[in-house]
Amino acid sequence: MPAKKSPRPAKPTIKKPKAGAQAAKPKPAARPKRHGMPALARKPESGVRKAAAAKSSLKSVILDALADMKALEVKVLDVRGITDIADFMVIASGTSDRHVRSVAQRVVEKTKAAGFRPHGVEGQQDSDWVLIDLHEMIVHVMLPRVREFYGLEKLWDTWATKRAAHA
């Protein structure tokens, strides 16, 4: 007895849109659930936590960029309560004017890639001292002789010492 042939599956029909008609857009995929709750049921993060997370991630992006370019003597100063222009100042040194310019350029590139736009960049032409204003953080990249001459660490550390003495 000959073997029975299985029936052929029907070919799927593809509907072509009529001329002048727009094709229907596919529905967006549902958001994945996290921690057993749908996305809309979760509480949004508070603004304070978001700001703190943004500052810490901006700080880490800056420090990573400085480490990538082998910046020397990196120091982070907490200037909250001392000045309103920034929360932190980062001071770093470069070995030559070309190194200072490259370090500053890398910081700008990395922060832009992370979604932080610099408010301004000063001193790239001379490259003795490049200042990058990132709103909450200000980055100073200097030659060692310029850093020693201006003594920003001493200036801001004395303010921090006075602030601690008054508290």
Side-chain angles (χ1 to χ4, degrees):
M1 216 166 152
K4 290 185 178 180
K5 293 183 180 180
S6 62
R8 290 179 121 180
K11 289 185 180 180
T13 56
I14 301 173
K15 294 181 180 180
K16 295 181 181 179
K18 294 181 182 180
Q22 292 182 353
K25 294 182 182 179
K27 293 181 181 179
R31 291 184 184 183
K33 292 181 180 181
R34 293 185 186 164
H35 307 292
M37 294 190 306
L40 298 176
R42 289 190 315 263
K43 281 190 197 177
E45 289 188 44
S46 69
V48 174
R49 276 203 269 156
K50 283 184 182 179
K55 286 179 189 175
S56 66
S57 66
L58 175 60
K59 186 192 285 188
S60 65
V61 167
I62 291 170
L63 294 177
D64 288 345
L66 292 171
D68 286 347
M69 294 301 292
K70 297 182 175 33
L72 306 173
E73 300 177 39
V74 177
K75 189 166 185 181
V76 180
L77 303 173
D78 184 359
V79 294
R80 290 178 286 190
I82 299 172
T83 182
D84 292 335
I85 60 172
D87 292 340
F88 295 96
M89 284 193 190
V90 180
I91 303 172
S93 295
T95 56
S96 66
D97 60 342
R98 182 173 288 206
H99 186 224
V100 168
R101 188 179 317 121
S102 298
V103 169
Q105 186 176 356
R106 177 63 59 93
V107 170
V108 170
E109 289 171 359
K110 292 276 189 171
T111 53
K112 280 184 180 179
F116 300 100
R117 287 277 188 222
H119 184 67
V121 180
E122 295 291 328
Q124 283 186 317
Q125 298 299 324
D126 298 332
S127 300
D128 287 347
W129 178 357
V130 180
L131 182 141
I132 306 162
D133 184 358
L134 292 158
H135 305 285
E136 297 92 16
M137 297 186 80
I138 295 176
V139 181
H140 301 273
V141 185
M142 312 169 154
L143 288 174
R145 63 179 169 80
V146 176
R147 184 173 179 169
E148 184 181 339
F149 179 77
Y150 287 102
L152 293 180
E153 292 100 335
K154 292 176 188 172
L155 173 71
W156 291 105
D157 280 345
T158 58
W159 280 99
T161 306
K162 286 181 184 177
R163 178 180 61 180
H166 290 292

